[in-house]
Amino acid sequence: MGTLGKAIYTVGFWIRETGQAIDRLGCRLQGRYFFQEQLSRHRTLMNVFDKAPVVDKDAFVAPSASIIGDVQVGSGSSIWYGCVLRGDANSISVGSGTNIQDNSLVHVAKSNLSGKVLPTIIGDNVTIGHSAVLHGCTVEDEAFIGTGAMLLDGSIVEKNAMVAAGALVRQNTKIPSGEVWGGNPAKFLRKLTDEERAFISQSATNYSDLAQVHVAENAKPFDRIELEKALRKKFTRKDEEDDSTLSVVLETPPELVHPDKDPKPLQK
């Protein structure tokens, strides 16, 4: 970053700091009512000097996720709540249609026993389960990483391979296509079934569709959220066949029905 770039960056920094100070002043003037605004001041996308995230316009990044530094996220992918993708010492690449589920961590390798500087590469239509950890590894297209699994430096999960929940994949381990590995350390368990192959493909599609619902919900302004709360409360009635106060049927108000869909009661 040259002298001019640093000067522009500094000016931008002070403008943002001034804006935040004005926002804090506004909250104090609103008194006890300011907390009703369901807005997150969390910084979802963050540069590391000249390394800036590049997120496709059709990708979903949850408000509480953190994408930092040299990170690319492809079309139709979804980065869910609490995820951290930190591309500071190297790069992270996420393909199209991939979902990285809640509280997962993706980082890169700057130093390790083999002395290699490794990026993290995640292909297309990959499913990465909740609370997984990926560190300086490669996950090829249509692979499946189970909940809580850990992939260490230099490990490779080939196309249509599955890492079971809670597995620890050690450094430089290669998991061949069509195999299921699990355990600590991860070892070959068996071949992938046809049903599991279909599940992996469908999982990616399901999360891509679900992400669009969350995109729409997160885009709603505060007044719209409050209106929908009031409408749902108005249209709530007690289940006549059950005296329990926990048994409630929520009838969808006409104002909230999508024009292309039939209204259906939501059971709670």
Side-chain angles (χ1 to χ4, degrees):
M1 184 184 293
T3 303
L4 178 60
K6 289 181 179 179
I8 293 173
Y9 178 87
T10 301
V11 171
F13 172 80
W14 285 113
I15 290 173
R16 294 186 68 178
E17 285 292 305
T18 302
Q20 291 175 3
I22 293 173
D23 179 63
R24 290 192 292 269
L25 174 61
C27 288
R28 286 197 293 270
L29 292 175
Q30 287 178 301
R32 65 188 182 90
Y33 295 106
F34 86 94
F35 71 90
Q36 294 180 1
E37 297 182 26
Q38 298 182 5
L39 303 176
S40 173
R41 297 181 69 239
H42 168 74
R43 193 172 174 183
T44 303
L45 303 179
M46 190 180 87
N47 295 13
V48 176
F49 296 111
D50 59 340
K51 297 178 180 178
V54 178
V55 179
D56 189 274
K57 62 181 179 62
D58 293 325
F60 166 66
V61 179
S64 59
S66 297
I67 299 182
I68 302 163
D70 190 1
V71 181
Q72 292 189 344
V73 180
S75 175
S77 289
S78 52
I79 313 299
W80 291 83
Y81 303 92
C83 287
V84 175
L85 280 67
R86 180 156 59 92
D88 44 10
N90 211 316
S91 64
I92 296 172
S93 174
V94 179
S96 301
T98 287
N99 61 91
I100 302 179
Q101 298 172 18
D102 313 67
N103 295 322
S104 292
L105 169 64
V106 181
H107 193 221
V108 292
K110 183 177 181 181
S111 60
N112 48 47
L113 291 175
S114 60
K116 294 181 179 179
V117 179
L118 298 169
T120 294
I121 302 171
I122 302 170
D124 300 336
N125 302 317
V126 173
T127 290
I128 297 175
H130 311 286
S131 300
V133 176
L134 280 68
H135 198 273
C137 59
T138 297
V139 181
E140 296 182 356
D141 299 348
E142 298 176 14
F144 185 96
I145 309 301
T147 298
M150 298 181 66
L151 278 64
L152 301 184
D153 300 6
S155 58
I156 299 174
V157 180
E158 293 187 344
K159 183 176 181 178
N160 289 126
M162 178 181 286
V163 176
L168 173 63
V169 181
R170 293 190 296 185
Q171 292 182 352
N172 303 316
T173 300
K174 178 181 285 189
I175 299 179
S177 177
E179 294 186 0
V180 181
W181 284 48
N184 183 358
K187 296 180 180 179
F188 171 75
L189 299 179
R190 56 180 173 78
K191 290 289 186 179
L192 206 66
T193 66
D194 292 338
E195 291 77 10
E196 287 169 334
R197 290 177 184 270
F199 169 75
I200 291 174
S201 178
Q202 189 60 46
S203 174
T205 301
N206 289 345
Y207 263 90
S208 182
D209 293 341
L210 183 59
Q212 297 309 307
V213 176
H214 285 257
V215 168
E217 286 296 324
N218 280 288
K220 290 178 180 177
F222 175 69
D223 55 351
R224 179 64 182 178
I225 293 171
E226 292 301 304
L227 172 62
E228 292 185 3
K229 282 183 182 178
L231 288 171
R232 287 193 176 95
K233 186 175 181 180
K234 177 181 177 181
F235 282 80
T236 299
R237 65 175 177 81
K238 194 155 178 280
D239 189 341
E240 297 176 356
E241 297 180 359
D242 191 347
D243 290 336
S244 171
T245 57
L246 297 178
S247 183
V248 175
V249 175
L250 301 180
E251 292 182 336
T252 306
E255 294 88 339
L256 303 183
V257 176
H258 191 283
D260 298 331
K261 297 182 179 180
D262 297 328
K264 296 180 181 179
L266 300 175
Q267 298 291 337
K268 181 177 179 181

